[in-house]
Amino acid sequence: MNAQRRAELIAIYRDGLLEDTLPFWLPRCVDEEHGGFMIARDRDGSLLDTDKGMWQQSRSTWLLAMLYNTVEPREEWLAAARHGLEFIEQHGFVPGEGGRMWFHVTREGAPIRKRRYFFTETFGAIAYAACAKATGEVALEDRAREIYALAKAGFAAGANSKFTDVRPTKGMGAPMILLATAQEMRTCLGDDSFNADIDACIEEIQRDFVKPDLECVMETVGPNGEVLDHFDGRLLNPGHAIEGAWFILNEARQRGNDPALIELGCNMLDWMWTRGWDEEHGGIFYFRDVHCKPVQEYWHDMKFWWPHNETILATLLAHLLTGESRYETMHRQVHDWAYKHFPDAEHGEWYGYLHRDGRVSVTLKGNLWKGPFHLPRMQLLAWQWLADSFD
């Protein structure tokens, strides 16, 4: 990548984050009356629902603390992160369950739903860890470690499986999210003991989900990595696998450009790009079938915002680590398609859900799953990676 292109992209990602994405959310999403953040927003930022998802409370808090930690120590970012953390502490945890978190609460914090899996807890852990780094408060670090340990134990016990023992399965989401969480814990807490968990997660992903013979990354497998010839077993999620690829590539970068990890991450990216890129309309499909059979989910050919965020990161990091021009070409493809179709030039931020051809399906900018996380994380990391020296 030449210097001019790098400078152009730095400006796109940096200015998009600081002058477009963040101003859409702040200060309007801060709930001054009841605490936390109200994320369910329409195209123009108007409120669609006052309920609060703990994913978004935790992710928003993490983002604000990370901006404070890595961009500049703006007091308004830290104050907003503390605001989010106070709501999580007061209303995010199930009484008597050792740190389990609610998934969905009312505006005031009354519980509505709890999920069987531990993804909410992983986001809670990184929110506390990032705030611990920002403030230096040992109590927040201790809380982060407690929640992380709970999530790790929950995943180990198979709590994320939605199937009975008639057909036991496991999903890539568990080792993948634990990998990313351990990486954040290590960064925020300065503790290399998380390397053991990172190694274990990468080993499981490579052993059980990466299939060189099929040239793909499975989303759901049997307990020992078996490919299950059913709708759920054949289902591929290209964006999810590509997100996992950049987690592994980023670990390679952290370890001095480890060649084995670069090879693994690039293989995952290559195979799932081939499976996921829409040659007719462009963009990343949401679901595919490993044997190219019909997929039962009706939204299989839609274009969601987050797979494009993750593919922008994966292709960029693959290029920066390997220097291969084909990854720069792939990055340009997905960047150009995403930036043509997802951004809202009038009101800011990105639409979340498009039809296959790029037409907007729904105008909302925030719900229980979409909020200030995937897009600003992409903008922040892409800006930082490009600004670093890879040469």
Side-chain angles (χ1 to χ4, degrees):
M1 182 180 296
N2 63 43
Q4 180 179 350
R5 176 64 176 171
R6 184 176 294 205
E8 290 172 353
L9 289 173
I10 287 174
I12 289 170
Y13 297 131
R14 178 195 63 219
D15 297 347
L17 172 64
L18 300 178
E19 299 175 13
D20 181 86
T21 303
L22 287 176
F24 179 86
W25 296 107
L26 294 176
R28 67 159 55 102
C29 77
V30 177
D31 185 349
E32 298 288 0
E33 183 177 355
H34 294 287
F37 310 107
M38 290 191 288
I39 300 297
R41 301 282 169 173
D42 203 350
R43 178 191 176 194
D44 60 357
S46 58
L47 194 63
L48 292 171
D49 195 317
T50 60
D51 285 353
K52 295 168 182 173
M54 279 300 153
W55 279 22
Q56 301 300 0
Q57 302 303 304
S58 299
R59 287 169 159 184
S60 302
T61 299
W62 170 83
L63 174 69
L64 290 159
M66 286 304 294
L67 290 169
Y68 180 89
N69 292 335
T70 66
V71 176
E72 63 176 288
R74 296 188 190 179
E75 287 303 317
E76 63 265 31
W77 288 343
L78 182 58
R82 285 186 177 276
H83 182 81
L85 202 67
E86 288 170 2
F87 185 84
I88 295 167
E89 183 65 27
Q90 291 173 12
H91 304 292
F93 296 93
V94 182
E97 293 198 18
R100 284 304 316 265
M101 296 183 71
W102 299 112
F103 173 74
H104 179 191
V105 302
T106 67
R107 179 182 181 184
E108 297 79 10
I112 296 173
R113 276 191 285 173
K114 185 183 77 170
R115 290 292 180 91
R116 68 182 179 278
Y117 46 64
F118 285 77
F119 294 136
T120 307
E121 287 78 6
T122 64
F123 301 129
I126 64 173
Y128 275 90
C131 287
K133 180 176 176 62
T135 65
E137 294 178 22
V138 175
L140 298 183
E141 177 178 340
D142 292 342
R143 190 72 158 136
R145 291 181 184 275
E146 291 170 3
I147 302 168
Y148 173 84
L150 177 74
K152 177 183 172 181
F155 285 135
N160 65 313
S161 178
K162 61 184 178 181
F163 299 104
T164 69
D165 290 340
V166 171
R167 185 180 296 145
T169 64
K170 64 178 183 177
M172 194 183 77
M176 194 185 90
I177 195 63
L178 192 62
L179 163 62
T181 305
Q183 289 173 321
E184 286 299 318
M185 297 289 285
R186 179 184 61 191
T187 296
C188 292
L189 305 183
D191 184 353
D192 287 341
S193 70
F194 288 99
N195 286 339
D197 289 346
I198 292 168
D199 289 340
C201 291
I202 293 174
E203 180 184 358
E204 182 179 1
I205 291 169
Q206 183 170 23
R207 181 189 67 235
D208 293 338
F209 296 93
V210 175
K211 304 296 183 185
D213 56 326
L214 298 173
E215 295 191 343
C216 75
V217 182
M218 302 303 300
E219 183 71 10
T220 302
V221 296
N224 299 305
E226 305 94 332
V227 177
L228 306 173
D229 191 14
H230 299 275
F231 277 125
D232 292 307
R234 294 194 305 266
L235 195 67
L236 304 178
N237 187 331
H240 210 209
I242 289 171
E243 183 179 16
W246 82 250
F247 292 166
I248 291 171
L249 290 172
N250 198 33
E251 190 61 26
R253 183 178 72 93
Q254 295 289 339
R255 300 187 184 193
N257 298 353
D258 181 285
L261 293 180
I262 291 175
E263 181 181 11
L264 174 60
C266 285
N267 282 340
M268 293 170 66
L269 169 59
D270 290 342
W271 297 337
M272 299 313 286
W273 173 279
T274 299
R275 298 273 190 170
W277 182 259
D278 183 348
E279 294 291 349
E280 182 178 355
H281 294 284
I284 301 294
F285 285 117
Y286 201 74
F287 287 128
R288 307 300 281 165
D289 183 279
V290 68
H291 299 311
C292 300
K293 296 180 179 181
V295 174
Q296 67 177 342
E297 281 76 7
Y298 57 83
W299 60 95
H300 66 94
D301 63 352
M302 288 182 66
K303 309 293 168 61
F304 285 26
W305 86 104
W306 68 264
H308 294 79
N309 295 154
E310 309 312 330
T311 306
I312 287 171
L313 287 175
T315 52
L316 176 61
L317 191 51
H319 172 63
L320 294 173
L321 288 171
T322 68
E324 293 187 28
S325 60
R326 66 189 181 94
Y327 289 123
E328 183 179 6
T329 300
M330 291 161 64
H331 176 263
R332 188 183 291 269
Q333 273 185 267
V334 68
H335 171 98
D336 288 353
W337 195 92
Y339 272 83
K340 178 180 179 181
H341 293 94
F342 284 103
D344 180 353
E346 181 178 358
H347 295 290
E349 241 276 356
W350 281 22
Y351 299 111
Y353 307 92
L354 309 180
H355 295 293
R356 180 181 176 185
D357 60 4
R359 290 177 297 117
V360 175
S361 172
V362 63
T363 59
L364 66 79
K365 302 284 180 61
N367 55 22
L368 289 176
W369 291 271
K370 185 182 185 299
F373 182 67
H374 288 281
L375 174 59
R377 181 178 70 173
M378 179 274 285
Q379 294 167 318
L380 176 63
L381 292 179
W383 163 25
Q384 291 175 335
W385 291 345
L386 285 160
D388 288 344
S389 175
F390 281 81
D391 302 324

